[in-house]
Amino acid sequence: MGQLIVNGLALGSIYALVALGLLMIFNTVQIVNFAQGQLLMLGAFIGISSAVTQELPIAIAWIVTMAAMALIGIVFMVLVYLPLRGRSPFLVILTTISMGIVLENLALIIWGPLPVSLPSPVHGAPLRFAGVVISMHQAFTFATLIVVLTLQFLLLTRTRFGILMQATAQDLRTARLVGIPVQRTIAVAFASGAVLSGIAGLLVAPTYLAEPTMGGSLGLKAFVVSVIGGFGSLPGAVIGGLSLGLIETFGARYISSNFRDAYAFIIMIGVLIAWPRGLFGEKTSEKV
Amino acid sequence: MSPAAILQARGVTRRFGGLVALDHIDLDIPRGIVQSVIGPNGSGKTTLINALSGASPADAGSIQLDSREISGLKPHRIAQLGLARTFQNIRLFANLNVLENVKVAAGCRSAESLFGIVTGNRNHRRTETAIDEAAREALHTVGLIHRADDAADQLPYAQQRLLEIARAIATKPRILLLDEPAAGMNMTESLALLETISRLKSTGITVLLVEHNVRFVMDISDRVAVLDFGKKIADGSPAEVQSNALVIEAYLGRRRRHA
Amino acid sequence: MRISPYLALVAAGALSIPLLTHDNYVIQLLNIAILNAIVVLGLNYTTGWTGQINFGQAAFYGLGAYSTALATKFGLPWIAASFSAILVVALASLVLGLPTLRLRTHYLAMTTIGFAEIVRLIIVHWEPVTGGTSGLRDIPGIDLLGWHPQGQIQHYYIMIAVLALAVVVAARIRHSTVGRAMIATKDSEIAAEQSGVDTLRMKLLAFMIGAIYAGIAGCLYASSIRFISPDSFSGTQAVFLMTMLIVGGMGSIPGCVAGALALTILPEALRFLGQWYLVLYGLGVIGIIALLPGGLASVISVRKLRWGHPQ
C-alpha cells in the first residue's frame, strides 16, 4: 500500500510537470498545446543524445537539454502560434496536433523506433522506511517537482514577467497598447513551457525508457490533469497530477492493468459532464 | 395586468458578481406600440434585452409574453412563442448567404422530418416553398431583396443591421426587440431605418427599441422608459420623459455636460 | 434537382475507372478512399456544419466495422448484421453525444479523444471477442439478397453507389431547415437560438447522422476487406479524417470527397518518402490551415458542383 502510494506519486509528479508546462502556455495565450507530450519526448531524446551518445556528464546533459528545449519552444511559437493568432480554437488545436505528428516522426527518423534508457542524475542506495522503498530517482523526481513549482510560483507572482504574462492573457491588444513587450512575454511562456516538458522527459526516461511514440498519451494526460485540477491553476496542476498518478497506480493494481490508460479519460469525461468548463472553471467568460 | 400589454416584466433582476446590472425592472408594453428604452452606456439596456429574450436569463422576476410566463424558457422556445431580437454587435451566419440567413428564422416553427427532407416529398417541398416566400418577404420589408444571393458577411455595415432585422421579423414575432439598430449608421440610413420601424409597427408588430441616441427615438416612440445604473427611473410618453427632472439629471444633463 | 454538366462528368469518370485499370491494388485503394469519403462526409455534419470538434469519428467507423464482423461471424444474415451494426453506432453516438452537448473547444476535443481511446482499449484488450491487436479475419462478405459481389471491381461499384447516396442525402439536408440550422448553430449559437433553432437538438442530430455515416462505412469496410484490426480505426486515423475535412474545405460536400480521395491516395503515391511523408504531411496541414482557411474547396471553385442548389 505505502509502496503503491510512493510509486503513484512519482508517476504523478511527472504528469504534474507536463501539466505545469501546458499551463505556462495556456495562461499567456489561452492555447491548449496538444503537442506538449511530444515536447516531453524530445526532451528525453536530447538528454539521451547528450548523455549516452555524446557521453557528456549527466549534469551537463541536463543543461544542454533545457537550453535546447527553450529554443525549440520559441521555434514552436513561430511555427504554430504566430500564423494562427486570432483564428478559431479548433484550427489551433488541429495545428498543435499536426505539430505533434511532425515532431514524433522526426524523432523516429533521427532516433529510430526502439526504446532507449537514460541514466538518472542521482545514484545511491534507495531510502527505506517502514517497508516502503523510495529509489533515489523517485526522491529526485519529487525534489525537482518542488523546486520547479516554487520557481514557477515566484516567477508568476513575484516578478515583472508574471505581471506581464497576466496582462497579456487578459487583453492582448491593450497589453500591446500600453507598451508591454507582448511578443517577448509570449516567447518566454513558450520557451519555459517547453523546458518544463523537457525536464519531465529527462525524469521519465530513466524509469520508463524513451521512445518516439511516448508523447501522445503523456500529453493527453497532462490535459486530463489540467481538467481535474482546473485550467490555469498552479496548485491545481500539481494536485491533479499527483491524484492521476495515484489513480492509475491503484487502478492498475486493484482493477485492471490493461485499462490503466483508460482511467484518466473516464475521470476526465466524468468531470466534464458534471462541470463543462472543468472542476474550477476558466476565468474567461463569454459575452452575449 | 392590462389586457392590452403584450409583454409584462415584473421585478426582473440580473446580477454579475457584486454588480446589480438590472434592479427589479417592471415594464408593461402595450400591444402595437413602439416602446423605447434609453439610458447611458452601461445602464443595463442590453442586459434587459438578454434577460427578456432568454439569452442571458434574469436571476429573479417574472416575464410574460401575451400572458404566458416565458422566464426560464430556452431562447429558441421564446423565439418560437413570438419574441424576436437583433444584436447590438451584429451576429449573422457567416457561412450562409443573405437569403439563407433569413430562412433559418423563417423555418423556426416548421417541424420537418428527416425522411421528408431526404426523399424530397411533397410535404417537404411545400414547407421549403413557404419558407422561401416568407424569407423573401422579410428581405423585401427591409429593402434587401436585391442582395438575397450574396454572402452575409460581404454586406456593408448598415445592410448587415437590416439583415439582422429581416432575420428577426422572419420568425413572425409578436414583439421585436431591437438592440441599438442605428449604431454605426449615417443620417440617411438612420432615417430609412426609422421608416422601416414605422412600417413594422403598421403591420401590427410591437417594437421594443433600445437606443443610446435619445433624439433618434423621440419622434418614433409611443412610450419611453429610461434606465440608469440598472434601475428604471422614468417611463411615459416622450414628452413626459423629456421633462422629467430625474432623467435630465441622470441622462440628458450628463450628456450635455460631456458635450 | 438540377444535375450540372460538371457533376455528370465526375460521375461518368468515376463509373469508367474500372474500365481503365484492372490493377486490383489501385481499385482496392480507391475503395478505401471512397469509404474514407463517406466517413468524412459524416464528420462534416458534426464539425463542418455544426462546428463541434469530433475526434471520435474513427471510433464510430471501427465500431461499425467490429459490430458487422461480429454479427456476421455469429451467423446473422448480412442485411440484419449491417442494420444492427448501424444501430450500435447510433446508440454509441447518443452515449457520447448527449452528455457532451454543452462542451466546447479543447474540452470537446479531449472528450472525443478519450472516448476513442476507451473504445480502442476495449477492442485491444477484449481479445476473445475482438481478436485483440491481431484483429479479426475471414469476415463473411456482402450478401445482397443472394448476390455475393466478387472481386474489387464489383465492390467498387457498391462503394460508389453508397457514396453517391451519401452525397445526395448530405446535399438534401444542407438545403433544408435542418442543414441551415446546423450551419447557423456553428456560426453563432446564440443568434441561432434567438432565431428559433434548438441548437442542442441540432448538435445531437449532427453527431448521430455523422456517426451513422461512419457506421455504414465501417460495415462496408469489414465486409469488403474481410479483415479488420484496431490500427485502421485509431486516434491517428481520427486526426487524418479531420485533416481530410480541413484540407478539402470544411462544410463543402465536394470538398469532403476531394479531401478524402486526395489524402488517401497521396500517401501511397509518396511511399518512397518513408517516414518523411508524415513529417511533410504534418507541415502541409499546418501550411494549409495557416494559408488556405477554406481548404481546397476555396481554391478550385467547386461551387458549381453543388447539388440541388435552388436557383
Side-chain angles (χ1 to χ4, degrees), chain C residues 51-88:
Chain C
Q52 308 172 84
I53 307 175
N54 177 8
F55 287 105
Q57 189 73 349
F60 291 132
Y61 191 16
L63 224 49
Y66 271 89
S67 308
T68 307
L70 291 173
T72 47
K73 274 181 162 265
F74 180 73
L76 237 58
W78 187 77
I79 299 269
S82 35
F83 270 102
S84 53
I86 291 163
L87 197 68
V88 167

Side-chain angles (χ1 to χ4, degrees), chain A residues 134-240:
Chain A
I134 305 174
S135 76
M136 284 308 280
H137 186 68
Q138 282 176 333
F140 181 70
T141 304
F142 297 138
T144 310
L145 177 63
I146 291 166
V147 170
V148 164
L149 185 63
T150 316
L151 285 178
Q152 200 174 357
F153 178 76
L154 292 176
L155 179 73
L156 293 181
T157 58
R158 295 280 188 279
T159 65
R160 202 176 115 76
F161 171 76
I163 299 163
L164 295 186
M165 211 174 111
Q166 272 180 21
T168 309
Q170 269 166 20
D171 190 341
L172 208 111
R173 198 186 289 162
T174 312
R176 188 169 286 134
L177 281 179
V178 300
I180 288 175
V182 168
Q183 202 91 323
R184 211 185 312 154
T185 309
I186 294 173
V188 174
F190 271 89
S192 48
V195 169
L196 286 176
S197 288
I199 294 175
L202 290 166
L203 290 170
V204 170
T207 332
Y208 298 93
L209 304 182
E211 50 188 326
T213 51
M214 73 199 284
S217 76
L218 279 165
L220 293 182
K221 281 178 190 166
F223 187 95
V224 175
V225 165
S226 311
V227 172
I228 298 175
F231 246 96
S233 148
L234 211 59
V238 177
I239 294 167

Side-chain angles (χ1 to χ4, degrees), chain B residues 53 55 74-76 79-80 85 87 91 93-96 100 103-105 107-108 110 112 114 117-120 124 128 131 167 171, chain C residues 102 169 172-178 180-181 183-184 186-188 190-201 205 209 309-310:
Chain B
S53 67
K74 288 187 176 165
H76 70 265
Q80 288 165 354
R85 71 169 287 187
F87 295 88
R91 288 167 187 269
F93 307 130
N95 287 296
L96 295 174
E100 285 179 317
K103 277 182 167 184
V104 170
C108 77
S110 53
E112 276 194 279
L114 269 181
I117 290 169
V118 169
T119 55
H124 166 69
E128 274 297 308
I131 289 173
R167 186 175 64 187
T171 62
Chain C
R102 285 167 199 283
V169 168
R172 286 256 165 109
I173 289 182
R174 165 64 185 81
H175 294 290
S176 73
T177 44
V178 172
R180 290 186 296 263
I183 295 174
K186 169 187 170 167
D187 284 346
S188 171
I190 184 63
E193 276 281 335
Q194 307 255 254
S195 305
V197 172
D198 186 346
T199 53
L200 289 185
R201 185 172 156 262
L205 194 62
I209 300 176
H309 195 32

Side-chain angles (χ1 to χ4, degrees), chain B residues 241-254:
Chain B
V241 166
Q242 261 170 320
S243 58
N244 182 315
L246 266 175
V247 176
I248 292 168
E249 170 53 30
Y251 186 67
L252 302 171
R254 205 156 38 194

Side-chain angles (χ1 to χ4, degrees), chain C residues 28-51:
Chain C
Q28 166 101 341
L29 182 62
L30 283 176
N31 285 350
I32 294 190
I34 293 169
L35 289 177
N36 282 339
I38 297 170
V39 182
V40 174
L41 278 171
L43 188 58
N44 186 49
Y45 286 91
T46 342
T47 305
W49 288 344
T50 324

Side-chain angles (χ1 to χ4, degrees), chain C residues 4-8 10 254 301-308:
Chain C
S4 74
Y6 297 94
L7 201 65
V10 170
S301 175
V302 275
R303 287 197 153 187
K304 289 171 191 135
L305 275 177
R306 275 193 197 160
W307 280 41

